[in-house]
Amino acid sequence: MDRVALRGLRARGHHGVFPHEREEGQTFVVDLVLGLDTRPAAAADDLAKTVHYGVVAEQVVEVVEGEPVDLIETLAERIAERCLGHEAVREVEVVVHKPEAPITVPFDDVTITITRSRA
């Protein structure tokens, strides 16, 4: 399986379990690795036979900016579902970063990584 990666997609969302997270929002960063067979697209030099990563990026931002959820696990799952909605995508790895997580000690980042594929 071939891989198309998008790294560092940024959007402001209102996800979290605390009221201030829901009210103020914060920046979330998403990394994706899309698994697909790129041979048909490469042979025909045809975008319609692969995944349009620009469209995927816009959809991921829509999910992050959309309906709030409590957990980044839920957010990652919703992103994976959108990615798998593209016919060419057979598998997706989603990493959601929450660099502004409400943690009381110094830290660099909090992430969840999930991998989903078509059944």
Side-chain angles (χ1 to χ4, degrees):
M1 192 168 316
D2 304 317
R3 305 273 181 231
V4 174
L6 290 89
R7 307 246 187 245
L9 298 171
R10 286 176 172 71
R12 190 157 187 84
H14 294 264
H15 312 289
V17 296
F18 296 112
H20 72 274
E21 292 180 291
R22 292 294 183 102
E23 294 164 10
E24 299 169 21
Q26 60 192 293
T27 299
F28 292 84
V29 182
V30 178
D31 301 324
L32 301 174
V33 179
L34 308 170
L36 62 152
D37 183 357
T38 62
R39 289 174 293 189
D45 198 26
D46 185 355
L47 177 60
K49 296 183 179 193
T50 188
V51 64
H52 191 310
Y53 49 79
V55 171
V56 171
E58 291 169 358
Q59 291 175 341
V60 168
V61 167
E62 287 174 3
V63 172
V64 174
E65 292 177 344
E67 180 185 353
V69 297
D70 288 343
L71 304 177
I72 59 173
E73 292 87 342
T74 306
L75 183 59
E77 191 69 36
R78 289 183 177 181
I79 291 168
E81 289 171 4
R82 283 298 287 273
C83 293
L84 289 171
H86 291 267
E87 185 178 337
V89 177
R90 310 316 292 161
E91 181 179 275
V92 62
E93 179 184 272
V94 177
V95 181
V96 175
H97 301 257
K98 189 175 179 179
E100 300 169 30
I103 296 176
T104 61
V105 298
F107 74 102
D108 289 330
D109 199 4
V110 172
T111 66
I112 177 75
T113 302
I114 66 170
T115 302
R116 300 292 182 266
S117 59
R118 293 179 188 268

